[in-house]
Amino acid sequence: MHVNMSAVTLMTNEVIRKRLLIDGDGAGDDRRINVLMKSFTKWCNSSFSPEEGLSQYQRMLTSLAQCEFSMGKTLLVYDMNLKEMENYEEIYADIEKSITSAHDKIAECKKEIQRAKRIRKNRQEYDALARVIKQHPDRHETLKQLEALDKELQQLSHIKENVEDKLELRKKQFHVLLTTIQELQQTLENDEKMESDDAQESPMENGD
Amino acid sequence: MNYCQSFRDTFISLQLLHMSVFSQSFSPCGRFLAAGNNYGEIAVFSLSAALSPDASEGSQKPILNFTAHDGPVFSLLSTDTHLLSAGNGEISAWSWAELIKKSNKAAWTRKPSYETSLEIPEINAMIINPKDNSLIVGGGDNNIHIMDMETEREDEILSGGEDGAVRIWDSRTNRPVHCIEVFKYEECARPQFGKWISCLATDSDWMLCGGGPSLSLWHLRSMSPTSVFPLPGCQREAVFYQDLIMSVGEGPFVSHCLHGGTVKAQIPCTQSSLNTLALNLKNTEHRVMTVGGSSHQIDVFTNFSYRAFSLSF
């Protein structure tokens, strides 16, 4: 009794609180163990009738079984908690991994977007230049036009040559014609002159 | 005392009402923004403070605000160590290290040589030629009607002026190599606005120009316009960014356009019209786009599709 009294006074609020917390079932295990110990010592020391002793013995066995059951339950809970901890650790590691992979993906996507922007810019520039180029006529067309014009030019110069040749020829012919006419005129004049000279000479001869 | 205080407050709020932001420049580290307004003041804002998760009203105000020039600051340019600002005919340099420490002492001030000393024209644009570290300055000199601004493409310089012509100069011989008169092209010309060029940007073989004529994309090899953008007002600044073209001008929005000539989006802003657009690509943490215009506020876009918040002078 004296020891118990001092034990109680030594107990602080903390200890009481801890004991109340640990005592999982509420008003169960600890008291049960104490009662078991007390009844065991009472059963050993005091004298019971055989039936009473047996019933007391049975009662103690039941109590013991209950305590064992409770202990088993607690052990299972402990195991379960350990497994849960492991499970959570795994999930935590998984989430960490997916966070880093998401980070990497984000960096990849950012690079992708830069590339896409550059491609879009290039495309726009091509389009703009293409629009300008389209405004100018097609090269084949222009070449064809050039060829046609060349041909026309050749034809026209050909015609010009022909016409010039003709002109030269006509000129020459007229020249020949005119010279012939002039010579004829000259010859006729000469003939006339000779005739008139002859006529003058013959009357002079007759007058002799 | 009260009377003086309220008078000062009215004066300050009037000043804010009439303020226009003309130029912006990010620091070489990308953590600060300098902006110049029509009163000649330069304000330095801390981007790291404004973009941090615990930003407050105070972090949207400048960390340093001082008067740099007599006239409006039309152009700001950052080199690796200094901020160059151009006012009425003079260029001042401020060390970024000093500015961050909130000191507003200029490193140097210079005037480019002008033909006549009678007129002091304003300087509208500046750019650095990285080859020989020279500063190329365009201003309203020689002819008071020419207003130039320039962008650079390898060792050629492009300039666009009030006469409506975009000239390409060879930086070695300082002679114009090509001259494109944008207003002569029917598809771009808008005679109701005039022929002046107010924005110019290049990206390898392509050039953007706009102003009086519509904003148009040109292919420089063939010297022909490939797309014309159907934007209503006159555009004051345009940049190439990835696969988009961003442009600001008259109208309270930033236009996102595609190279093909379509306007993909128009993002609304607080200002009624915008003068300057700047992209901070030097620093990946503080990658923002900032626009300033006819208001004392500067809109900041962290995602280029919507306005995040505004800095204020």
Side-chain angles (χ1 to χ4, degrees):
Chain A
M1 270 312 264
H2 181 70
V3 175
N4 267 345
M5 286 286 286
S6 60
V8 166
T9 51
L10 277 175
M11 271 193 234
T12 59
N13 277 346
E14 270 301 316
V15 180
I16 293 175
R17 200 182 295 145
K18 221 187 228 177
R19 289 194 69 185
L20 282 171
L21 278 173
I22 291 172
D23 209 341
D25 269 31
D29 296 326
D30 220 24
R31 195 169 65 92
R32 201 177 293 143
I33 292 177
N34 283 342
V35 161
L36 180 63
M37 291 302 293
K38 276 199 205 114
S39 55
F40 180 70
T41 44
K42 208 161 87 177
W43 183 74
C44 290
N45 294 336
S46 62
S47 51
F48 282 119
S49 61
E51 301 89 18
E52 272 187 27
L54 197 63
S55 68
Q56 196 74 359
Y57 175 67
Q58 295 290 349
R59 248 180 292 201
M60 282 199 297
L61 278 181
T62 335
S63 195
L64 191 63
Q66 277 173 345
C67 287
E68 278 179 353
F69 173 75
S70 177
M71 189 176 86
K73 197 162 83 164
T74 324
L75 269 176
L76 283 175
V77 168
Y78 173 71
D79 276 341
M80 178 199 80
N81 283 337
L82 280 181
K83 283 217 185 85
E84 277 292 301
M85 280 279 290
E86 271 180 36
N87 195 19
Y88 283 146
E89 292 274 341
E90 267 179 41
I91 293 179
Y92 182 76
D94 271 343
I95 292 180
E96 285 268 325
K97 241 188 282 175
S98 45
I99 286 179
T100 38
S101 77
H103 268 295
D104 288 338
K105 238 195 242 174
I106 287 178
E108 257 313 304
C109 286
K110 277 199 181 155
K111 257 190 260 173
E112 206 41 51
I113 216 183
Q114 291 293 358
R115 245 187 94 240
K117 277 192 179 170
R118 224 172 337 131
I119 288 176
R120 178 157 76 157
K121 178 171 149 172
N122 287 339
R123 274 216 194 106
Q124 298 259 324
E125 286 178 2
Y126 300 156
D127 277 343
L129 276 178
R131 244 178 293 143
V132 172
I133 288 172
K134 261 189 120 55
Q135 285 173 359
H136 292 111
D138 197 5
R139 182 152 57 124
H140 289 299
E141 289 266 328
T142 327
L143 280 176
K144 259 195 253 168
Q145 277 182 5
L146 274 176
E147 265 182 47
L149 282 174
D150 262 339
K151 243 196 248 174
E152 229 186 285
L153 198 67
Q154 269 184 18
Q155 275 180 355
L156 288 174
S157 60
H158 206 62
I159 291 175
K160 182 170 142 191
E161 267 181 45
N162 284 350
V163 166
E164 272 180 2
D165 284 343
K166 233 194 219 172
L167 191 67
E168 275 297 314
L169 191 63
R170 295 283 179 277
K171 259 198 208 162
K172 280 191 193 140
Q173 284 177 339
F174 272 111
H175 188 70
V176 163
L177 186 64
L178 283 174
T179 0
T180 322
I181 288 178
Q182 264 196 355
E183 270 182 20
L184 187 61
Q185 225 176 22
Q186 201 74 341
T187 326
L188 284 173
E189 273 179 15
N190 281 350
D191 278 350
E192 253 186 50
K193 221 166 131 193
M194 268 181 57
E195 261 178 29
S196 68
D197 276 351
D198 276 346
Q200 271 190 7
E201 270 187 30
S202 52
M204 280 184 66
E205 275 181 13
N206 281 346
D208 246 4
Chain B
M1 234 13 223
N2 254 349
Y3 180 68
C4 286
Q5 193 69 13
S6 67
F7 178 72
R8 221 175 81 84
D9 287 341
T10 331
F11 178 73
I12 289 177
S13 37
L14 263 182
Q15 209 187 28
L16 284 179
L17 201 60
H18 289 279
M19 192 180 288
S20 284
V21 173
F22 282 128
S23 52
Q24 304 175 83
S25 181
F26 288 100
S27 65
C29 58
R31 290 182 291 128
F32 296 91
L33 169 69
N37 68 8
N38 55 335
Y39 296 122
E41 299 172 337
I42 294 179
V44 179
F45 298 87
S46 164
L47 280 179
S48 15
L51 290 172
S52 73
D54 49 349
S56 63
E57 282 285 320
S59 47
Q60 291 168 0
K61 284 278 180 186
I63 60 170
L64 174 62
N65 188 343
F66 61 96
T67 309
H69 295 278
D70 289 330
V73 181
F74 283 121
S75 174
L76 283 175
L77 180 67
S78 274
T79 63
D80 290 332
T81 50
H82 284 74
L83 173 71
L84 299 170
S85 65
N88 251 344
E90 58 177 20
I91 301 175
S92 300
W94 319 80
S95 158
W96 269 110
E98 294 291 312
L99 288 173
I100 294 172
K101 279 190 263 171
K102 308 207 187 169
S103 136
N104 57 356
K105 206 167 81 69
W108 49 257
T109 306
R110 252 175 243 163
K111 279 195 179 25
S113 55
Y114 295 113
E115 291 193 353
T116 65
S117 52
L118 290 173
E119 286 169 17
I120 306 175
E122 78 271 14
I123 293 176
N124 297 108
M126 299 188 287
I127 199 150
I128 294 262
N129 182 347
K131 294 243 164 70
D132 56 2
N133 244 359
S134 66
L135 179 64
I136 303 160
V137 164
D141 55 345
N142 292 344
N143 185 334
I144 52 172
H145 293 298
I146 294 181
M147 196 170 74
D148 284 338
M149 18 125 313
E150 301 160 346
T151 62
E152 190 183 292
R153 179 172 75 106
E154 294 184 332
D155 50 7
E156 289 178 340
I157 305 168
L158 278 83
S159 77
E162 210 173 289
D163 59 351
V166 174
R167 290 194 174 81
I168 302 175
W169 309 78
D170 184 1
S171 54
R172 285 166 293 193
T173 60
N174 285 344
R175 317 210 74 242
V177 175
H178 293 291
C179 176
I180 304 173
E181 295 189 300
V182 184
F183 62 94
K184 290 217 171 127
Y185 288 79
E186 266 183 44
E187 55 262 27
C188 313
R190 291 191 296 197
Q192 71 270 30
F193 287 123
K195 55 183 184 174
W196 42 276
I197 303 284
S198 61
C199 78
L200 203 54
T202 53
D203 176 31
S204 62
D205 287 335
W206 300 83
M207 171 188 81
L208 274 176
C209 65
S214 312
L215 183 68
S216 46
L217 181 68
W218 291 68
H219 187 235
L220 285 171
R221 289 268 174 84
S222 57
M223 295 289 164
S224 56
T226 58
S227 331
V228 177
F229 299 97
L231 294 167
C234 303
Q235 302 304 306
R236 307 239 174 86
E237 188 150 358
V239 295
F240 284 95
Y241 176 68
Q242 293 182 342
D243 63 331
L244 288 179
I245 289 163
M246 313 232 201
S247 139
V248 292
E250 288 174 1
F253 43 77
V254 177
S255 309
H256 289 205
C257 312
L258 292 171
H259 285 241
T262 47
V263 176
K264 191 176 118 178
Q266 289 185 320
I267 319 294
C269 311
T270 55
Q271 299 95 334
S272 57
S273 94
L274 294 162
N275 292 327
T276 160
L277 176 145
L279 281 173
N280 189 13
L281 301 169
K282 293 179 223 180
N283 187 330
T284 47
E285 278 173 22
H286 303 313
R287 193 190 70 131
V288 295
M289 174 170 75
T290 55
V291 295
S294 45
S295 154
H296 62 96
Q297 292 186 313
I298 298 175
D299 283 350
V300 179
F301 298 71
T302 43
N303 172 328
F304 294 177
S305 304
Y306 62 87
R307 181 190 81 92
F309 59 91
S310 301
L311 299 169
S312 155
F313 255 80

